[in-house]
Amino acid sequence: MSNPTIHHAADLSKYNTMALSCVADMAIEVQSMDDIRYAHACAKDANLPIFVLSGGSNVLLPSALHACVILPKFDEFTVISEDETHVDIAAGAGLVWHDFIKQCLDKGWFGLENLALIPGLVGACPVQNIGAYGAQVSDFITKVIAYDLHTGETLTFDNAECQFAYRDSFFKQNPNRYIISQVQFRLHKDRSKTNISYGDLSAKAHELAMQNGNSAPQPQDVFTAVVAIRQSKLPDPALLPNCGSFFQNPIIAKSHYVKLLEQYADLPHYPAGDDTVKVPAGWLIDRAGLKGDGVAPILTHKNQALVLTNHAPHTATQTDIKTAQDFIICTIDERFGIALVREPVWVYAHVTHD
């Protein structure tokens, strides 16, 4: 078996959906555990830390990245077990997330349809515990297989060991230690079981169900509705570079929310636990008059204020991102008394990140 090719002074501007200018000391594509071990040895020989770049849809890269960058290319997709109601499957970390969901739907395996069109690869989904339209991937993950860079072992994490939380996980809390090679899921086969509880998804899914002759929305209707809604609101990174939702929806005290209602009677909210509510960051940014605004070349999207877009692809840098980010955070804090928190991972030149 031949060793993977090493790319020196690797241009990563096309490997991150924000299209930020970034050159890494070294980059290696891996397709097997043997490839990972080889890349690990190469990084040690070069005295470089390892950084895993999985699709680049939720990271903000520095201009110079002093690391050995691992590009996962695992593309296996196998059935572990199956019965009349459920199927357990294993998906390679290098599979494109949206394409993976489409494959599952085509086979009659359901549950992930609410997460359609989220950019990135399968291996990144447990790190961020991606979520959308009332669902999160941790509801379906059973195991994660990963290589431990500290010990050189291949480890299996069950759902509890992944320590999933809102847009968080054990892997996110322990950056630069694990290379995920495979994610295992349990999906169901019940076409009548759908999640349409979130926002405008219900109306769109019911509309599609009627068009398709269904008395109630089925998983394919939900999938199509999610794609349509996302495409109407979110820019395609291939056409206008972005990394999706840039800020987390803030969770605030219920007393704070009640006080804000006195001035903003239409402020939406969602229950978030005892004495707290979640409010939409996009609504806050929009109401503050920042939709389509920012600090050039980084602007919020004209149709979705929660998305920051890069109008100088391959030349804009992290510095541009920080300027626009800080302007928005400061504006929202001054107007609403709410501190927004960035969602994408900020990567530093020497691969510490937050």
Side-chain angles (χ1 to χ4, degrees):
M1 181 181 297
S2 59
N3 293 323
T5 302
I6 300 175
H7 302 279
H8 297 281
D11 181 2
L12 300 181
S13 60
K14 295 181 180 179
Y15 287 90
N16 72 100
T17 61
M18 200 65 175
L20 295 178
S21 173
C22 177
V23 175
D25 291 349
M26 180 187 299
I28 305 176
E29 297 182 4
V30 297
Q31 302 182 62
S32 67
M33 278 297 172
D34 285 341
D35 286 352
I36 290 177
R37 295 185 185 95
Y38 174 78
H40 193 187
C42 290
K44 286 182 176 179
D45 288 344
N47 196 28
L48 289 173
I50 281 181
F51 177 74
V52 182
L53 185 58
S54 179
S57 61
N58 197 53
V59 294
L60 300 168
L61 299 178
S63 298
L65 184 55
H66 302 299
C68 173
V69 176
I70 302 298
L71 303 172
K73 298 297 179 181
F74 303 91
D75 59 2
E76 72 276 6
F77 182 8
T78 58
V79 174
I80 300 171
S81 64
E82 185 174 8
D83 58 27
E84 293 181 356
T85 61
H86 291 86
V87 61
D88 291 294
I89 57 177
L95 290 169
V96 175
W97 176 251
H98 181 68
D99 293 345
F100 166 64
I101 294 177
K102 287 196 294 185
Q103 290 183 62
C104 291
L105 277 174
D106 289 344
K107 294 178 181 295
W109 305 335
F110 312 124
L112 300 175
E113 51 274 1
N114 294 59
L115 307 179
L117 215 61
I118 294 178
L121 306 181
V122 166
C125 75
V127 179
Q128 184 74 3
N129 188 17
I130 59 173
Y133 298 101
Q136 55 187 1
V137 75
S138 57
D139 296 334
F140 306 96
I141 290 177
T142 54
K143 294 179 182 179
V144 174
I145 313 302
Y147 177 83
D148 187 341
L149 289 166
H150 287 190
T151 65
E153 297 177 295
T154 300
L155 303 175
T156 299
F157 297 82
D158 64 22
N159 186 283
E161 290 170 327
C162 292
Q163 299 178 20
F164 290 121
Y166 176 63
R167 302 297 179 271
D168 201 6
S169 71
F170 174 78
F171 305 104
K172 188 174 180 179
Q173 293 299 318
N174 291 273
N176 308 320
R177 176 165 180 176
Y178 300 99
I179 301 177
I180 294 173
S181 62
Q182 183 187 94
V183 184
Q184 298 180 12
F185 303 84
R186 166 160 280 204
L187 304 180
H188 67 85
K189 298 183 178 182
D190 187 350
R191 294 183 180 274
S192 66
K193 182 181 178 182
T194 57
N195 179 353
I196 54 173
S197 60
Y198 197 89
D200 50 358
L201 176 59
S202 179
K204 185 64 177 178
H206 276 97
E207 175 189 333
L208 290 167
M210 290 182 63
Q211 292 176 6
N212 295 327
N214 300 322
S215 59
Q218 297 193 8
Q220 185 63 54
D221 299 318
V222 175
F223 173 86
T224 305
V226 168
V227 170
I229 293 170
R230 290 183 70 92
Q231 288 180 333
S232 70
K233 294 181 178 180
L234 304 175
D236 183 345
L239 303 177
L240 181 56
N242 69 90
C243 52
S245 299
F246 194 87
F247 296 104
Q248 296 180 12
N249 290 326
I251 296 175
I252 63 175
K254 192 172 294 183
S255 58
H256 189 180
Y257 172 74
V258 171
K259 186 175 181 179
L260 286 172
L261 277 180
E262 296 175 3
Q263 187 174 356
Y264 306 100
D266 59 337
L267 173 58
H269 76 286
Y270 308 95
D274 294 339
D275 298 322
T276 60
V277 299
K278 183 188 297 183
V279 295
W283 187 95
L284 299 172
I285 297 169
D286 190 357
R287 181 53 66 91
L290 297 181
K291 181 183 281 187
D293 198 0
V295 181
I298 308 301
L299 306 175
T300 63
H301 190 245
K302 61 181 181 179
N303 295 332
Q304 174 51 272
L306 191 55
V307 177
L308 265 62
T309 58
N310 178 7
H311 293 260
H314 310 318
T315 58
T317 66
Q318 272 188 342
T319 300
D320 297 311
I321 295 287
K322 188 176 190 308
T323 301
Q325 167 195 278
D326 292 351
F327 167 67
I328 294 168
I329 289 176
C330 182
T331 301
I332 299 306
D333 190 27
E334 289 178 350
R335 180 152 184 177
F336 302 102
I338 295 175
L340 292 181
V341 176
R342 181 185 64 245
E343 188 167 311
V345 174
W346 189 277
V347 183
Y348 293 92
H350 294 280
V351 302
T352 57
H353 60 243
D354 57 24

